[in-house]
Amino acid sequence: MSANDYVKYVTQQIVKYMDTPKEARKQLREERKNVETSSTFYSNRWFGVLPFSLKLMLNKRKK
C-alpha cells in the first residue's frame, strides 16, 4: 500500500465520519459496544487466545 492510497483511505473515512449525523454515530457506537461485550470472553480479551485454547482442551478431555 503506497502512501497515496493510505492518505486517500484516511480522507474517505474522515469524510464519511463527518457526513453521518451525531445521533447515528452515537447509536452505532452503542451497538458496537453491546456486541463486543456479549460475544467475547473476558479472558480472551485480556490474555489472548491461549486461555481459550486451554479451556477447550480441558473440556474436550472431560468428555
Side-chain angles (χ1 to χ4, degrees), residues 14-47:
I14 291 172
V15 170
K16 182 178 168 185
Y17 178 80
M18 292 174 68
D19 285 343
T20 57
K22 187 175 184 178
E23 294 82 22
R25 290 189 305 239
K26 196 172 201 177
Q27 182 182 9
L28 182 64
R29 195 176 314 123
E30 288 295 323
E31 289 174 3
R32 194 177 309 137
K33 187 177 182 181
N34 290 336
V35 169
E36 193 173 285
T37 56
S38 65
S39 66
T40 58
F41 297 107
Y42 285 106
S43 63
N44 190 16
R45 186 173 182 175
W46 291 346
F47 304 113

